[in-house]
Amino acid sequence: MLVHTVLNDRKISYTLRRCKRKSVGLTINHEGLKISVPLQASVSHIESILQQKADWITKKLEQWQSKKSLAISWTHDAIYPLLGEPWRIVLKPSGEIEMAQHFVNETTHAEIAEPSLPQLCSHHIEKFVMAWYSQQAITYFKQRIAIYAPALNLPVPPFRLSNAKTRWGSCNSRGIIHLNWRLIQLPLHLIDYVVAHELAHLIEMNHSKAFWKLVGSICPEYLEARRLLRGYA
């Protein structure tokens, strides 16, 4: 259920979930603040904990709100980023739709007009754009893995596209790498960092100094990439 409170003179909405647990748990992500509490927890007890954690909660919420959102609006005139560049749906002479890079006049900074599009339903647009994103992601991710795996003396591992909400990548004990399809929206050097990160995990399944040394050996600018990656949600 959605509940409201005031923390540090700021109105905050949060999702409250009662369940079989012994303590109160707070989670903040791109969906906002979520609170899990014991079944019998009183409203006053929940409010007391919120006030105690007010500084931490408001700080974390501000950090998430400052992130660049990768949320997609499934409309015919929306911008769909690919490798950090804007793309749009355009109409081919045949009357079919395709994706094309979106350009702005460098002198006037005005958008260059595209032929008008038919009013497409959001479901049709989502299906079309997601197929395009998946194809691009498979092509580029496969290419980047093939470049960086040999640099770590690794055979090129298999990979799968992921739809995880909070993780850019992961790998498992079977040596399979999972990369979030949303990465294809980001600049190539950020994709390279995530690829290097997951490949290094095939050697060091931890975040030790040895692990970061491996990452740095093939992605020297990894610290800056990590910082920039935190700016997306």
Side-chain angles (χ1 to χ4, degrees):
M1 62 181 294
L2 192 63
V3 185
H4 308 285
T5 188
V6 176
L7 302 177
N8 291 343
D9 298 321
R10 176 182 170 186
K11 185 177 180 180
I12 302 293
S13 299
Y14 63 90
T15 301
L16 177 64
R17 177 173 175 264
R18 294 183 179 274
C19 53
K20 292 182 179 179
R21 56 179 297 153
K22 296 182 179 179
S23 60
V24 174
L26 306 179
T27 301
I28 298 176
N29 56 29
H30 65 289
E31 296 179 336
L33 173 62
K34 295 182 179 180
I35 305 177
S36 298
V37 302
L39 294 172
Q40 304 303 321
S42 67
V43 173
S44 60
H45 177 60
I46 297 169
E47 183 63 23
S48 173
I49 291 177
L50 289 174
Q51 294 301 327
Q52 292 173 24
K53 299 285 187 180
D55 290 343
W56 178 82
I57 292 171
T58 53
K59 180 182 177 180
K60 289 296 182 182
L61 286 173
E62 287 171 0
Q63 288 176 350
W64 272 101
Q65 289 168 358
S66 68
K67 291 176 181 287
K68 299 175 184 177
S69 176
L70 295 178
I72 297 175
S73 174
W74 304 112
T75 60
H76 70 280
D77 57 351
I79 296 297
Y80 299 97
L82 176 73
L83 302 180
E85 297 294 333
W87 287 63
R88 294 184 69 174
I89 300 174
V90 299
L91 196 64
K92 295 198 295 186
S94 64
E96 297 177 306
I97 58 174
E98 66 178 350
M99 300 301 296
Q101 193 163 0
H102 180 60
F103 294 100
V104 174
N105 188 302
E106 295 183 0
T107 302
T108 64
H109 298 287
E111 296 185 353
I112 297 176
E114 299 284 356
S116 59
L117 286 166
Q119 291 296 317
L120 305 172
C121 71
S122 60
H123 175 72
H124 185 166
I125 293 172
E126 180 178 2
K127 184 177 179 180
F128 174 77
V129 175
M130 281 305 302
W132 174 73
Y133 267 140
S134 295
Q135 181 182 35
Q136 297 293 327
I138 290 171
T139 298
Y140 279 99
F141 295 172
K142 183 177 181 180
Q143 176 194 84
R144 307 319 284 180
I145 291 172
I147 290 173
Y148 287 106
L152 291 177
N153 295 316
L154 290 170
V156 176
F159 82 95
R160 305 283 187 272
L161 293 184
S162 161
N163 193 33
K165 290 185 177 181
T166 60
R167 302 183 71 176
W168 293 114
S170 63
C171 67
N172 58 34
S173 58
R174 294 179 295 164
I176 299 175
I177 288 177
H178 292 83
L179 298 173
N180 196 313
W181 70 265
R182 292 177 180 83
L183 276 171
I184 199 61
Q185 297 177 281
L186 306 184
L188 190 58
H189 68 281
L190 298 184
I191 297 175
D192 286 348
Y193 160 66
V194 176
V195 168
H197 187 114
E198 299 310 327
L199 286 172
H201 273 316
L202 296 180
I203 301 172
E204 294 283 345
M205 294 294 286
N206 51 55
H207 287 103
S208 62
K209 289 183 179 179
F211 166 79
W212 290 114
K213 185 176 181 179
L214 285 172
V215 175
S217 70
I218 58 174
C219 185
E221 305 298 324
Y222 76 91
L223 287 175
E224 176 64 5
R226 284 182 71 195
R227 183 186 71 81
L228 292 174
L229 206 55
R230 293 192 189 103
Y232 290 90

